[in-house]
Amino acid sequence: MRRLIAAALIFLTLGPVPCATVRFADVDLSQRAEARPLRFAGDTSAPMRFVRGWRLDSPNSRFGGFSALAHTGPGRFLLVGDNGHWTRLTFDTRGAVLSTRIGALPTSDGRPARKTMADVEALAVDPKGGAVWLALEGINQVWRLDAGLGRIESRRRLPPPRWPTNRGPEAMVRLADGRTILFSEDADDDPRGREALLYASDPAVPGPAPLRFFYDADGRGLVSDAAPLPDGRILLVHRRLGFDPLFTTIVSVLDPADIVRDGVVRSRTIGRVPRPLAENYEGAAVSVERERTWLWLVSDDNFNVWQRSLLLQFELVDLPPKRAPGSKKAAR
């Protein structure tokens, strides 16, 4: 019954509701956006400390629905929506938008993107060459695009069994050693947890089958995104639906060293998004500047008038240390 209630909440909140009011009645392709600062004083003692945030707005009809985020340089961000469009934003040191570029992702058949064929839920960017990997829900594929986002260089289907259409690849992490991890949102109704895949190399190129494992979220909700940390661990963002607030976002840390074939891994909570900033956070990125580690989160407004596209910055301080090798608390 609890899973049925959760499914109903997800459909009503995030799915295509016939009477839902959308933000754009007419098509506008303006290349501009603004970031309005949020007024909120966060907790300065927690490991995940709020620094600042903005509400993002644009008259462009394709702006929004952000489900993936990358920090590509000081003040520079790549945001990708589940509508098959991308946005590049550059901020100045005061937090004002300096430049905006909004465009459509390439498609496998050259035709305009359709939601069912361009539902991007996660991305990763090569810090050296700029290539971009995209994880697409529904069609269960991983694509690698060129740095200009104009061409699909390679693509590969996830191995069978097929992940559910609306519960497939939701988070993707490229590790420093070239491995890639894909987390499903809610695939495989298994008591051990939600199914995930570990690729030994580029997931968009044909190669050996990935290693399957399970992630036990331990009541935090469903994984909505992930990002690599400087120490080699993975930061996981969870989305839990309720009534007050509607969205609860919980952040935890997982060590990929705990992953074994068909095994179960767990993570440790480091914080959550404060209640006044509650939204549908689906994109995460981690950056290191001036020897300080920052977490960036972006929310998916689902193109609803009652939701917001928020970009938040947190500082990560005094994260829990790695577990000693051989610890049985993280995996079983």
Side-chain angles (χ1 to χ4, degrees):
M1 177 59 72
R2 289 167 61 188
R3 289 182 63 86
L4 290 175
I5 293 173
L9 279 171
I10 291 172
F11 178 80
L12 292 173
T13 306
L14 309 176
V17 181
C19 6
T21 305
V22 295
R23 290 188 295 117
F24 300 105
D26 301 308
V27 175
D28 185 327
L29 301 181
S30 304
Q31 294 289 309
R32 64 180 189 275
E34 65 174 349
R36 288 182 282 172
L38 302 174
R39 295 185 178 182
F40 176 73
D43 183 359
T44 59
S45 63
M48 187 174 126
R49 302 175 183 177
F50 177 78
V51 178
R52 56 181 176 168
W54 303 265
R55 177 169 180 167
L56 306 177
D57 285 300
S58 171
N60 191 298
S61 309
R62 310 297 185 242
F63 184 91
F66 300 125
S67 56
L69 173 69
H71 180 271
T72 56
R76 299 197 301 272
F77 299 89
L78 169 63
L79 305 90
V80 178
D82 54 16
N83 62 343
H85 286 74
W86 54 263
T87 297
R88 291 191 187 272
L89 294 177
T90 301
F91 290 78
D92 65 17
T93 56
R94 297 173 295 113
V97 176
L98 280 177
S99 66
T100 306
R101 290 178 57 204
I102 303 169
L105 293 168
T107 57
S108 57
D109 57 9
R111 293 185 293 181
R114 292 172 291 156
K115 168 71 173 178
T116 55
M117 299 297 292
D119 188 355
V120 175
E121 293 294 335
L123 73 84
V125 177
D126 182 357
K128 296 180 179 179
V132 177
W133 286 265
L134 303 175
L136 290 90
E137 194 174 56
I139 61 174
N140 284 294
Q141 293 185 15
V142 178
W143 294 359
R144 189 184 70 235
L145 276 58
D146 67 306
L149 301 175
R151 180 170 56 90
I152 301 173
E153 296 181 336
S154 182
R155 59 192 178 110
R156 179 182 179 183
R157 293 184 184 275
L158 272 63
R162 181 182 176 87
W163 282 356
T165 299
N166 291 317
R167 294 180 289 149
E170 189 74 18
M172 176 170 57
V173 175
R174 289 275 295 171
L175 301 178
D177 60 11
R179 292 180 298 165
T180 301
I181 300 176
L182 275 177
F183 293 89
S184 73
E185 181 179 24
D186 197 19
D188 199 333
D189 188 8
D190 191 293
R192 291 174 291 180
R194 304 281 68 78
E195 195 172 76
L197 301 171
L198 170 62
Y199 290 82
S201 57
D202 190 337
V205 175
L211 177 152
R212 182 186 73 157
F213 66 98
F214 296 89
Y215 172 61
D216 180 1
D218 195 24
R220 296 180 183 90
L222 302 179
V223 171
S224 62
D225 207 5
L229 289 166
D231 65 5
R233 289 182 292 178
I234 297 170
L235 180 142
L236 288 174
V237 180
H238 306 78
R239 174 180 57 195
R240 191 170 68 199
L241 296 179
F243 294 100
D244 187 22
L246 180 58
F247 300 103
T248 297
T249 301
I250 300 173
V251 179
S252 67
V253 174
L254 178 151
D255 193 337
D258 296 326
I259 297 172
V260 296
R261 185 177 300 277
D262 292 328
V264 178
V265 294
R266 297 180 179 84
S267 60
R268 286 186 281 180
T269 298
I270 61 169
R272 61 180 63 201
V273 172
R275 186 188 183 98
L277 303 175
E279 253 299 349
N280 179 34
Y281 294 98
E282 289 202 26
V286 171
S287 65
V288 178
E289 299 176 57
R290 300 184 300 277
E291 299 183 350
R292 300 169 74 179
T293 303
W294 311 102
L295 166 63
W296 306 87
L297 297 176
V298 72
S299 64
D300 177 1
D301 65 357
N302 293 294
F303 295 96
N304 287 324
V305 295
W306 55 273
Q307 289 186 259
R308 303 166 293 171
S309 294
L310 301 184
L311 177 64
L312 307 184
Q313 180 185 15
F314 296 86
E315 184 176 9
L316 301 180
V317 181
D318 298 328
L319 295 181
K322 289 186 175 182
R323 289 190 175 93
S327 170
K328 296 181 179 180
K329 294 183 179 179
R332 63 175 171 87

